[in-house]
Amino acid sequence: MKGKRFVFAKHFDGVPKKSDFELVEEEVPPVKDGEVLFQALFISVDPYMRPYSARIQTGTTMIGEQVARVVESKHPGYKVGDNVVAYFGWRTHTVLNPDKNINPLDNKPSKPYILPDFGGVSLSTALGVLGMPGNTAYFGLTKLCEPKPGEVLVVNGAAGAVGSLVGQIGKILGLRVIGFAGSDDKVKLLKEKYNFDAAFNYKTKDVTEALKEAAPEGVDCFFDNVGGVMSSAIISCMKLYGRIAVCGSISAYNDDPKKPTLAPIIQPSMIFKQLKMEGFVVSRWLNIWQEGIAQNLQYIKEGKLKYEETVYEGFEKIFDAFIGLFKGENTGKAVVKI
Amino acid sequence: MKGKRFVFAKHFDGVPKKSDFELVEEEVPPVKDGEVLFQALFISVDPYMRPYSARIQTGTTMIGEQVARVVESKHPGYKVGDNVVAYFGWRTHTVLNPDKNINPLDNKPSKPYILPDFGGVSLSTALGVLGMPGNTAYFGLTKLCEPKPGEVLVVNGAAGAVGSLVGQIGKILGLRVIGFAGSDDKVKLLKEKYNFDAAFNYKTKDVTEALKEAAPEGVDCFFDNVGGVMSSAIISCMKLYGRIAVCGSISAYNDDPKKPTLAPIIQPSMIFKQLKMEGFVVSRWLNIWQEGIAQNLQYIKEGKLKYEETVYEGFEKIFDAFIGLFKGENTGKAVVKI
């Protein structure tokens, strides 16, 4: 049986190119004692892959999470038909001893996690609302933005996998939610499907003007997915003792490290508004991971949390899905169905 | 009897000019019941005056703190010879009912505070190490940088009123302290008088290079007095879970608000190093103000905390003292002796 994987062939220089990857087709090795053969069902593409790729060696499989199914098992903990979520990377088939799996992001052991019954919810959500992006939204907002009912929350990248959840959880918690996204269709989605109080297309509306209209008394909480000039503008509109969770900086991920993006400095706002800003990587909450998943699943069941997926069909489409993140082409969570 | 005051005549446009102030000489009014006549001994100039001046109306006395002595009193709480520290502004004589004094910075009541016996320490320190700048250093560092023994602390504006204290308190708390200042003389002072582990002239040494040498494993705590490009460089050298206290942004105070300083964005460092940054105004700790003063006084008495003053002689020299802040001409606390 043949398997396919994308090898990280060349470190990105600016915007990732298809030629930075090499598609390798190879025989799937036999399953030895203690090993399991996993077959990918959905592979995730996420913005973090761009900056984290700098840490991986060329010649190795491209990093990433996937939902996979056990098709053969010689390990007592995994049986045929089990579905898992794991950091296997961009590959269709994976043979390994699950106890020895290593997450290349931090070089720590990372056992494939057997998914519970999702009760009709697509397994792909284990890569989205019921996985890393869902917990990024839930923990980032609740732990770092310290939101209080009645406060004003701004989120950018608001139609994305994380942003759309941040805004909706903000609404559930009783905040006034304002979103920025990059197209009129996305803005419509934010207002109509996700119930944002206000939403703007940052490509056609000045961010400062928008916030003067929608939050004349200032912004209490800012969940930042974008970074750069837009973030400086939002930060300049914050209220005394505002809180900023810095989750992503997608506007800058393709920068030349020698020519970083410049933006208006934020220190004067930080000082005179006495703002608090904290950057985070969601793995800091691994010890309470399932709390976030359970809470988001409950919100979904109660009809309070909606989610969108942009599904690309076919393993070869991974690059298109990935580059779509930087072109703003995806709405909600982008996944590749294998 | 004649008194003098500097009236804020024109809102600053870029670097403050002498012509933005008007020197007014006028009769000191008689002291009515409940009032006190205070005569200024030392007047403070501080960087915050530049940004805060935007909040005050032209035609009023320029803002600022002073140490003054009671020369006549019809108020039971104040007796002739008492020394106070108070927000009276740039004026030689002040007649008012102390119970009704208002701090123009926040429009809140602000009673002139009667200074205890300083035991030989100059009264001018009530504007420096035993006053607002001292508490800015003490609380900003201990509360927001969360310093732990053995960690690396970086402070810029390190020869200034606040920075020089931050570095020394860092040393007292067992940190490795690295300072940046704007002249070789200041660098010498940091190393020889204040016992910094390393110090650099940022005008002649690249900040990133300096930190590669002096803190190859990264920076845990950063106390920022400067903002802008230098801050971006320091932040890019921080360690996982580093903490940043944003105290001042003197590099940007004379910016045209329509053309703000641009600097390399800090969001990527904030995220991947999971940094925490908090801006502050020291008045947030008014409720524990005397704790900071007492601690710094004790450090002075123990010979652990040294301080420097740049003393300008004569009321008319206030402008020179003030503009010296932005030219980097002052070492330690700048005060004007009346």
Side-chain angles (χ1 to χ4, degrees):
Chain A
M1 182 172 52
K2 296 276 189 189
K4 290 176 186 174
R5 63 190 176 100
F6 276 101
V7 166
F8 185 56
K10 205 168 156 295
H11 279 107
F12 304 131
D13 177 16
V15 178
K17 294 184 291 295
K18 212 160 185 171
S19 58
D20 297 329
F21 301 96
E22 191 188 340
L23 178 58
V24 173
E25 198 169 342
E26 58 199 358
E27 197 62 29
V28 174
V31 177
K32 287 181 260 175
D33 261 8
E35 290 186 339
V36 175
L37 167 59
F38 298 95
Q39 184 170 352
L41 302 178
F42 295 96
I43 297 181
S44 188
V45 291
D46 299 278
Y48 77 80
M49 295 171 175
R50 173 65 182 84
Y52 273 81
S53 68
R55 305 187 185 187
I56 61 170
Q57 291 195 311
T58 56
T60 60
T61 305
M62 177 63 184
I63 54 175
E65 235 184 348
Q66 59 172 247
V67 169
R69 184 163 291 163
V70 175
V71 292
E72 190 181 342
S73 176
K74 293 184 179 170
H75 184 290
Y78 295 79
K79 61 179 195 298
V80 172
D82 279 350
N83 297 310
V84 301
V85 61
Y87 280 93
F88 289 158
W90 292 10
R91 59 196 308 155
T92 59
H93 295 77
T94 305
V95 175
L96 50 67
N97 181 328
D99 301 329
K100 296 178 183 166
N101 189 42
I102 297 290
N103 180 347
L105 297 186
D106 56 10
N107 283 315
K108 287 185 185 158
S110 170
K111 234 176 129 150
Y113 176 77
I114 298 175
L115 294 171
D117 183 9
F118 272 15
V121 176
S122 164
L123 286 176
S124 60
T125 58
L127 303 173
V129 60
L130 298 180
M132 185 274 285
N135 273 358
T136 299
Y138 178 73
F139 289 125
L141 177 64
T142 57
K143 302 284 186 193
L144 301 187
C145 282
E146 304 166 41
K148 294 167 204 65
E151 288 191 330
V152 173
L153 165 67
V154 169
V155 56
N156 52 14
V162 173
S164 58
L165 304 175
V166 169
Q168 293 181 85
I169 297 170
K171 288 298 297 174
I172 293 169
L173 299 177
L175 286 87
R176 247 180 68 73
V177 175
I178 302 167
F180 289 96
S183 77
D184 290 345
D185 283 348
K186 288 180 180 176
V187 165
K188 199 169 169 227
L189 186 77
L190 295 181
K191 289 188 194 167
E192 295 181 2
K193 181 167 179 181
Y194 299 139
N195 203 25
F196 278 45
D197 296 285
F200 301 94
N201 180 347
Y202 71 87
K203 290 179 180 168
T204 55
K205 176 86 180 176
D206 179 77
V207 169
T208 311
E209 283 300 312
L211 289 178
K212 265 187 202 158
E213 282 170 36
E217 299 189 352
V219 173
D220 300 281
C221 305
F222 171 31
F223 191 104
D224 189 3
N225 291 305
V226 175
V229 173
M230 195 202 297
S231 298
S232 292
I234 295 169
I235 291 168
S236 75
C237 296
M238 292 192 76
K239 216 185 262 183
L240 189 67
Y241 294 122
R243 287 85 59 197
I244 304 157
V246 192
C247 171
S249 186
I250 196 164
S251 68
Y253 286 164
N254 291 319
D255 280 1
D256 178 347
K258 285 174 199 149
K259 290 181 202 157
T261 300
L262 300 179
I265 68 167
I266 59 173
Q267 283 90 1
S269 297
M270 293 294 301
I271 298 164
F272 298 112
K273 307 283 185 63
Q274 305 202 50
L275 306 178
K276 191 153 69 176
M277 169 187 262
E278 191 161 351
F280 72 97
V281 173
V282 69
S283 56
R284 63 160 66 181
W285 293 295
L286 267 183
N287 62 324
I288 49 171
W289 197 255
Q290 294 306 323
E291 272 178 40
I293 307 282
Q295 181 60 76
N296 283 338
L297 181 58
Q298 193 192 322
Y299 287 150
I300 291 173
K301 286 181 177 164
E302 292 169 357
K304 293 176 182 167
L305 188 60
K306 299 187 176 103
Y307 57 94
E308 191 99 355
E309 288 181 333
T310 299
V311 181
Y312 291 76
E313 304 260 349
F315 183 73
E316 276 82 357
K317 287 283 165 57
I318 293 186
F319 179 78
D320 297 334
F322 181 55
I323 201 68
L325 297 170
F326 304 102
K327 291 184 180 165
E329 283 174 354
N330 305 332
T331 300
K333 179 70 185 97
V335 294
V336 181
K337 191 173 179 190
I338 311 303
Chain B
M1 183 175 47
K2 297 276 188 189
K4 290 177 185 173
R5 60 190 178 99
F6 275 101
V7 165
F8 185 57
K10 203 166 157 295
H11 278 107
F12 305 130
D13 177 17
V15 178
K17 293 184 291 295
K18 211 159 186 172
S19 58
D20 297 330
F21 301 96
E22 191 188 341
L23 178 59
V24 173
E25 198 169 342
E26 59 200 357
E27 198 61 29
V28 174
V31 178
K32 287 180 259 172
D33 261 7
E35 289 186 341
V36 176
L37 166 60
F38 298 95
Q39 184 170 349
L41 301 178
F42 295 96
I43 297 182
S44 189
V45 292
D46 300 278
Y48 77 81
M49 295 171 174
R50 173 65 182 83
Y52 273 82
S53 68
R55 305 186 184 184
I56 60 170
Q57 290 194 314
T58 55
T60 59
T61 305
M62 178 61 185
I63 53 176
E65 234 183 347
Q66 60 171 246
V67 170
R69 183 163 293 164
V70 175
V71 291
E72 189 181 344
S73 176
K74 294 185 179 170
H75 185 290
Y78 295 80
K79 62 179 194 300
V80 172
D82 280 350
N83 297 310
V84 302
V85 61
Y87 281 94
F88 289 157
W90 292 11
R91 59 195 309 155
T92 58
H93 295 77
T94 305
V95 174
L96 50 67
N97 182 328
D99 301 330
K100 294 179 184 165
N101 188 42
I102 296 290
N103 180 346
L105 297 185
D106 56 11
N107 283 315
K108 287 185 185 158
S110 169
K111 233 176 132 151
Y113 176 75
I114 299 176
L115 294 172
D117 182 9
F118 273 14
V121 175
S122 165
L123 286 175
S124 59
T125 57
L127 303 173
V129 61
L130 298 180
M132 185 273 284
N135 273 357
T136 299
Y138 179 73
F139 290 126
L141 177 64
T142 57
K143 302 284 186 194
L144 301 187
C145 282
E146 303 166 43
K148 292 166 203 69
E151 287 191 331
V152 173
L153 165 67
V154 169
V155 56
N156 52 15
V162 173
S164 58
L165 304 176
V166 169
Q168 292 180 84
I169 298 170
K171 287 299 297 176
I172 293 169
L173 299 176
L175 286 87
R176 245 180 69 73
V177 175
I178 302 166
F180 288 97
S183 77
D184 290 344
D185 282 348
K186 288 179 180 175
V187 165
K188 199 169 168 228
L189 186 77
L190 297 180
K191 289 188 194 169
E192 295 180 2
K193 181 167 180 182
Y194 299 139
N195 203 25
F196 279 44
D197 296 286
F200 301 93
N201 180 347
Y202 71 88
K203 290 180 181 168
T204 55
K205 175 85 180 177
D206 179 78
V207 169
T208 311
E209 283 300 312
L211 290 178
K212 264 187 202 157
E213 283 168 36
E217 297 189 352
V219 173
D220 301 282
C221 304
F222 171 30
F223 191 104
D224 190 2
N225 291 306
V226 175
V229 173
M230 196 202 299
S231 299
S232 292
I234 295 169
I235 291 169
S236 76
C237 295
M238 291 192 76
K239 218 185 262 182
L240 190 67
Y241 296 122
R243 289 85 59 196
I244 304 156
V246 193
C247 171
S249 186
I250 196 163
S251 68
Y253 286 163
N254 291 318
D255 280 1
D256 179 348
K258 286 173 196 145
K259 289 181 203 156
T261 299
L262 301 179
I265 69 168
I266 60 173
Q267 284 90 2
S269 297
M270 292 294 300
I271 298 164
F272 299 113
K273 306 284 185 64
Q274 307 202 50
L275 307 178
K276 191 153 68 174
M277 170 188 259
E278 190 160 352
F280 72 98
V281 173
V282 69
S283 56
R284 63 160 66 182
W285 293 296
L286 267 184
N287 62 325
I288 50 171
W289 197 254
Q290 294 306 323
E291 271 178 42
I293 306 283
Q295 181 61 79
N296 284 339
L297 181 57
Q298 193 191 323
Y299 287 151
I300 290 173
K301 287 182 177 164
E302 292 169 356
K304 293 177 182 167
L305 189 59
K306 301 189 175 99
Y307 57 92
E308 191 98 354
E309 288 181 333
T310 299
V311 181
Y312 291 74
E313 303 261 349
F315 183 72
E316 276 82 359
K317 287 282 166 58
I318 294 188
F319 179 78
D320 296 333
F322 181 54
I323 201 69
L325 298 170
F326 304 103
K327 291 184 180 166
E329 283 174 354
N330 305 332
T331 299
K333 179 68 185 97
V335 295
V336 181
K337 191 173 178 189
I338 310 303

